[in-house]
Amino acid sequence: MLLKLLTDRRLWFAGAALLVVGGAYGKGRLDQSRIAEIKAQQVQLDLKDNKIESLTQSIKSNAEALESAVIRAQDREAEQSNLEQKVKDYEAQLGQADACILTDDDVSRLQIIR
């Protein structure tokens, strides 16, 4: 009986067909898992690209803010220098006057300028 089953060609063909179908199914599952893995990697790359883009935008924004702050500091420094020169000029003008007495208004102006 066992010998009869082993010699039956239909069983061999059925077994071969099962092996082919099983192999195709396994290969399909393997391909699907690889596709899913590739998609997951693509999502991770997209997230990294978005993060890089966000950081680049942040760097540009910070650079613009820094440039603006430097310009404001230079403007304040120029204004400070201008005010100091006005004080020196006013003191020189007072020094050139003969026997000049400062009034309360003059004192308050000097204090405001300084």
Coordinates of all heavy atoms in Angstrom, one line a residue, residues 27-82:
K27 N 7.2 33.6 -0.9 CA 8.0 34.7 -1.6 C 7.1 36.0 -1.6 O 7.6 37.1 -1.3 CB 8.3 34.3 -3.0 CG 9.1 35.4 -3.7 CD 9.5 34.9 -5.1 CE 10.4 35.9 -5.8 NZ 10.2 37.3 -5.5
G28 N 5.8 35.8 -1.8 CA 4.9 37.0 -1.7 C 4.9 37.6 -0.4 O 4.9 38.8 -0.2
R29 N 4.9 36.8 0.7 CA 4.9 37.3 2.1 C 6.2 38.0 2.3 O 6.3 39.1 2.9 CB 4.7 36.2 3.1 CG 3.4 35.5 3.0 CD 2.3 36.3 3.7 NE 2.6 36.3 5.1 CZ 1.9 37.1 6.0 NH1 0.9 37.8 5.5 NH2 2.2 37.1 7.2
L30 N 7.3 37.4 1.8 CA 8.6 38.1 2.0 C 8.7 39.4 1.3 O 9.2 40.4 1.8 CB 9.7 37.1 1.5 CG 11.2 37.6 1.7 CD1 11.5 37.8 3.1 CD2 12.1 36.6 1.0
D31 N 8.2 39.4 0.1 CA 8.2 40.7 -0.7 C 7.3 41.7 0.0 O 7.7 42.9 0.1 CB 7.6 40.4 -2.1 CG 8.6 39.7 -3.0 OD1 9.8 39.5 -2.6 OD2 8.2 39.2 -4.0
Q32 N 6.2 41.3 0.5 CA 5.3 42.3 1.3 C 6.0 42.8 2.5 O 5.9 44.0 2.8 CB 4.0 41.6 1.7 CG 3.1 41.3 0.5 CD 2.6 42.6 -0.2 OE1 2.4 43.6 0.5 NE2 2.5 42.6 -1.5
S33 N 6.8 42.0 3.2 CA 7.5 42.5 4.4 C 8.6 43.4 4.0 O 8.8 44.4 4.7 CB 8.0 41.3 5.3 OG 9.0 40.6 4.6
R34 N 9.3 43.2 2.9 CA 10.3 44.1 2.4 C 9.7 45.4 2.0 O 10.3 46.4 2.2 CB 11.1 43.4 1.3 CG 12.0 42.3 1.7 CD 12.8 41.7 0.6 NE 13.6 40.6 1.1 CZ 14.2 39.8 0.3 NH1 14.0 39.8 -1.1 NH2 15.0 38.8 0.7
I35 N 8.6 45.3 1.3 CA 7.9 46.6 0.9 C 7.5 47.4 2.1 O 7.7 48.6 2.1 CB 6.7 46.3 0.0 CG1 7.2 45.7 -1.4 CG2 5.8 47.5 -0.2 CD1 6.0 45.2 -2.2
A36 N 7.0 46.7 3.1 CA 6.6 47.4 4.3 C 7.8 48.1 5.0 O 7.8 49.2 5.5 CB 5.9 46.5 5.3
E37 N 8.9 47.3 5.0 CA 10.1 47.8 5.6 C 10.6 49.1 4.8 O 11.1 50.1 5.4 CB 11.2 46.7 5.6 CG 12.5 47.1 6.3 CD 13.5 45.9 6.3 OE1 13.1 44.8 6.5 OE2 14.7 46.2 6.1
I38 N 10.6 49.0 3.5 CA 11.0 50.1 2.7 C 10.1 51.4 2.9 O 10.6 52.5 3.0 CB 11.0 49.7 1.2 CG1 12.2 48.7 1.0 CG2 11.2 50.9 0.3 CD1 12.2 48.1 -0.4
K39 N 8.8 51.1 3.1 CA 7.9 52.2 3.3 C 8.2 52.9 4.7 O 8.2 54.1 4.9 CB 6.5 51.8 3.3 CG 6.0 51.5 1.9 CD 4.5 51.1 1.9 CE 4.0 50.8 0.4 NZ 2.6 50.4 0.4
A40 N 8.5 52.0 5.7 CA 8.8 52.5 7.0 C 10.1 53.4 7.0 O 10.2 54.4 7.6 CB 9.0 51.4 8.0
Q41 N 11.1 52.9 6.2 CA 12.3 53.7 6.1 C 12.1 55.0 5.4 O 12.7 56.0 5.7 CB 13.4 52.8 5.3 CG 13.9 51.7 6.1 CD 14.9 50.8 5.3 OE1 15.0 51.0 4.1 NE2 15.5 49.9 5.9
Q42 N 11.2 55.0 4.4 CA 10.8 56.2 3.7 C 10.2 57.2 4.6 O 10.5 58.4 4.5 CB 9.9 55.9 2.5 CG 9.6 57.1 1.6 CD 10.8 57.7 1.0 OE1 11.7 57.0 0.6 NE2 10.9 59.0 0.9
V43 N 9.3 56.7 5.5 CA 8.6 57.6 6.4 C 9.7 58.2 7.4 O 9.6 59.4 7.7 CB 7.6 56.8 7.2 CG1 7.1 57.6 8.4 CG2 6.4 56.5 6.3
Q44 N 10.6 57.4 7.8 CA 11.7 57.9 8.7 C 12.5 59.0 8.0 O 12.9 60.0 8.6 CB 12.6 56.8 9.2 CG 11.9 55.9 10.2 CD 12.7 54.7 10.6 OE1 13.8 54.4 10.0 NE2 12.3 54.0 11.6
L45 N 12.8 58.7 6.7 CA 13.6 59.7 6.0 C 12.8 61.0 5.8 O 13.4 62.1 5.9 CB 14.0 59.1 4.6 CG 15.1 58.0 4.6 CD1 15.3 57.5 3.2 CD2 16.4 58.6 5.1
D46 N 11.5 60.9 5.5 CA 10.7 62.1 5.4 C 10.7 62.9 6.7 O 10.8 64.1 6.7 CB 9.3 61.7 5.0 CG 9.2 61.2 3.5 OD1 10.2 61.4 2.8 OD2 8.2 60.6 3.2
L47 N 10.6 62.1 7.8 CA 10.6 62.8 9.1 C 11.9 63.6 9.3 O 12.0 64.7 9.8 CB 10.3 61.9 10.2 CG 8.9 61.3 10.3 CD1 8.8 60.2 11.4 CD2 7.9 62.4 10.6
K48 N 13.0 62.9 9.0 CA 14.3 63.5 9.1 C 14.5 64.7 8.2 O 15.0 65.7 8.6 CB 15.4 62.5 8.9 CG 15.6 61.5 10.0 CD 16.7 60.5 9.7 CE 16.8 59.4 10.8 NZ 17.8 58.4 10.5
D49 N 14.0 64.6 7.0 CA 14.0 65.7 6.0 C 13.2 66.9 6.6 O 13.7 68.0 6.5 CB 13.5 65.3 4.7 CG 14.4 64.4 3.9 OD1 15.6 64.3 4.3 OD2 14.0 63.8 2.9
N50 N 12.1 66.6 7.1 CA 11.2 67.7 7.7 C 11.9 68.3 8.9 O 11.9 69.6 9.0 CB 9.9 67.2 8.1 CG 9.0 66.8 6.9 OD1 9.2 67.3 5.8 ND2 8.0 66.0 7.2
K51 N 12.6 67.5 9.7 CA 13.3 68.1 10.8 C 14.5 68.9 10.4 O 14.7 70.0 10.9 CB 13.8 66.9 11.7 CG 14.4 67.4 13.0 CD 14.7 66.3 14.0 CE 15.2 66.8 15.3 NZ 15.5 65.7 16.2
I52 N 15.2 68.5 9.4 CA 16.3 69.2 8.8 C 15.8 70.6 8.3 O 16.4 71.6 8.5 CB 17.1 68.4 7.7 CG1 17.9 67.3 8.4 CG2 18.0 69.3 6.9 CD1 18.5 66.3 7.4
E53 N 14.7 70.5 7.5 CA 14.1 71.7 7.0 C 13.7 72.7 8.1 O 13.9 73.9 8.0 CB 12.9 71.4 6.1 CG 12.3 72.5 5.4 CD 11.2 72.1 4.5 OE1 11.3 71.0 3.8 OE2 10.2 72.8 4.4
S54 N 13.1 72.2 9.1 CA 12.7 73.0 10.3 C 13.9 73.6 11.0 O 13.9 74.8 11.3 CB 11.9 72.1 11.3 OG 11.6 72.8 12.4
L55 N 14.9 72.8 11.1 CA 16.2 73.4 11.8 C 16.8 74.4 10.9 O 17.3 75.5 11.4 CB 17.1 72.3 12.1 CG 16.8 71.3 13.2 CD1 17.7 70.1 13.3 CD2 16.7 72.0 14.5
T56 N 16.8 74.2 9.6 CA 17.4 75.2 8.7 C 16.6 76.5 8.7 O 17.2 77.6 8.8 CB 17.3 74.6 7.2 OG1 18.1 73.4 7.2 CG2 18.0 75.6 6.2
Q57 N 15.3 76.4 8.8 CA 14.4 77.6 8.9 C 14.7 78.3 10.2 O 14.8 79.5 10.3 CB 13.0 77.2 8.7 CG 12.0 78.4 8.8 CD 12.2 79.3 7.6 OE1 12.7 78.9 6.5 NE2 12.0 80.6 7.8
S58 N 14.8 77.5 11.3 CA 15.1 78.1 12.6 C 16.5 78.8 12.6 O 16.6 79.9 13.2 CB 15.1 77.0 13.7 OG 15.4 77.5 14.9
I59 N 17.5 78.2 12.0 CA 18.8 78.9 11.9 C 18.7 80.2 11.1 O 19.3 81.2 11.5 CB 19.8 77.9 11.2 CG1 20.1 76.8 12.2 CG2 21.1 78.6 10.8 CD1 20.9 75.6 11.6
K60 N 18.0 80.2 10.0 CA 17.8 81.4 9.2 C 17.1 82.5 10.0 O 17.5 83.6 10.0 CB 17.0 81.1 7.9 CG 17.8 80.4 6.9 CD 17.0 80.1 5.6 CE 17.7 79.3 4.6 NZ 16.9 79.0 3.4
S61 N 16.1 82.1 10.7 CA 15.3 83.0 11.6 C 16.2 83.6 12.7 O 16.2 84.8 12.9 CB 14.1 82.3 12.2 OG 13.5 83.2 13.0
N62 N 17.0 82.7 13.3 CA 17.9 83.2 14.4 C 19.0 84.1 13.8 O 19.4 85.1 14.4 CB 18.5 82.0 15.1 CG 17.5 81.3 16.0 OD1 16.5 81.8 16.3 ND2 17.8 80.0 16.3
A63 N 19.5 83.8 12.6 CA 20.5 84.6 12.0 C 19.9 86.0 11.7 O 20.6 87.0 11.9 CB 21.0 84.0 10.7
E64 N 18.7 86.1 11.2 CA 18.1 87.4 10.9 C 17.9 88.2 12.2 O 18.1 89.4 12.2 CB 16.7 87.2 10.2 CG 16.9 86.7 8.8 CD 15.5 86.3 8.1 OE1 14.5 86.4 8.8 OE2 15.6 85.8 7.0
A65 N 17.4 87.5 13.3 CA 17.3 88.2 14.5 C 18.6 88.7 15.1 O 18.6 89.8 15.6 CB 16.6 87.2 15.5
L66 N 19.6 87.9 14.9 CA 21.0 88.3 15.4 C 21.4 89.5 14.6 O 22.0 90.5 15.2 CB 22.0 87.2 15.3 CG 23.4 87.5 15.7 CD1 23.4 87.8 17.2 CD2 24.3 86.3 15.4
E67 N 21.2 89.5 13.3 CA 21.6 90.6 12.5 C 20.9 91.9 12.9 O 21.5 93.0 13.0 CB 21.4 90.3 11.0 CG 21.9 91.3 10.0 CD 21.6 90.9 8.6 OE1 21.7 89.7 8.3 OE2 21.5 91.8 7.8
S68 N 19.6 91.7 13.1 CA 18.8 92.9 13.6 C 19.3 93.4 14.9 O 19.3 94.6 15.1 CB 17.3 92.4 13.6 OG 16.5 93.5 14.2
A69 N 19.6 92.5 15.8 CA 20.1 92.9 17.1 C 21.4 93.7 17.0 O 21.7 94.6 17.7 CB 20.3 91.7 18.1
V70 N 22.3 93.2 16.1 CA 23.6 93.9 15.9 C 23.4 95.3 15.4 O 24.0 96.2 15.8 CB 24.5 93.0 15.0 CG1 25.7 93.8 14.5 CG2 24.9 91.7 15.7
I71 N 22.5 95.4 14.4 CA 22.2 96.7 13.9 C 21.6 97.7 14.9 O 22.0 98.8 15.0 CB 21.2 96.6 12.7 CG1 21.9 95.9 11.5 CG2 20.6 97.9 12.3 CD1 21.0 95.5 10.4
R72 N 20.7 97.1 15.8 CA 20.2 98.0 16.9 C 21.3 98.4 17.8 O 21.3 99.5 18.3 CB 19.0 97.2 17.6 CG 17.8 97.2 16.8 CD 16.6 96.7 17.7 NE 16.9 95.5 18.5 CZ 16.7 94.3 18.1 NH1 16.1 94.0 16.9 NH2 16.9 93.3 18.9
A73 N 22.2 97.4 18.2 CA 23.3 97.8 19.1 C 24.2 98.8 18.5 O 24.7 99.7 19.2 CB 24.1 96.5 19.4
Q74 N 24.5 98.7 17.2 CA 25.3 99.7 16.5 C 24.6 101.1 16.5 O 25.2 102.1 16.7 CB 25.6 99.3 15.1 CG 26.6 98.1 15.0 CD 26.7 97.6 13.6 OE1 25.9 97.8 12.7 NE2 27.8 96.8 13.4
D75 N 23.3 101.1 16.3 CA 22.5 102.4 16.3 C 22.6 103.0 17.7 O 22.8 104.2 17.9 CB 21.1 102.1 15.9 CG 20.9 101.8 14.5 OD1 21.9 102.0 13.7 OD2 19.8 101.4 14.1
R76 N 22.4 102.1 18.8 CA 22.5 102.6 20.1 C 23.9 103.2 20.5 O 24.0 104.2 21.1 CB 22.1 101.6 21.2 CG 20.6 101.3 21.3 CD 20.3 100.4 22.5 NE 21.0 99.2 22.5 CZ 20.5 98.0 22.0 NH1 19.3 98.1 21.4 NH2 21.2 96.9 22.0
E77 N 24.9 102.5 20.0 CA 26.3 102.9 20.2 C 26.5 104.3 19.5 O 27.2 105.2 20.1 CB 27.2 101.9 19.7 CG 28.7 102.1 20.0 CD 29.6 101.0 19.6 OE1 29.2 99.8 19.9 OE2 30.6 101.3 19.0
A78 N 26.1 104.4 18.3 CA 26.2 105.7 17.6 C 25.5 106.8 18.3 O 26.0 107.9 18.4 CB 25.7 105.5 16.1
E79 N 24.3 106.5 18.8 CA 23.5 107.5 19.5 C 24.2 107.9 20.8 O 24.3 109.1 21.1 CB 22.1 107.0 19.8 CG 21.2 108.0 20.4 CD 19.8 107.4 20.7 OE1 19.4 106.4 20.1 OE2 19.1 108.0 21.5
Q80 N 24.8 106.9 21.5 CA 25.5 107.2 22.7 C 26.7 108.1 22.4 O 27.0 109.0 23.2 CB 25.9 105.9 23.4 CG 26.7 106.0 24.6 CD 25.9 106.6 25.8 OE1 24.7 106.5 25.8 NE2 26.6 107.3 26.7
S81 N 27.4 107.7 21.4 CA 28.6 108.5 21.0 C 28.2 110.0 20.6 O 28.9 110.9 21.0 CB 29.3 107.9 19.8 OG 30.4 108.7 19.3
N82 N 27.1 110.1 19.9 CA 26.6 111.4 19.6 C 26.2 112.2 20.8 O 26.5 113.4 20.9 CB 25.3 111.3 18.7 CG 24.9 112.6 18.1 OD1 25.6 113.5 18.0 ND2 23.6 112.6 17.6

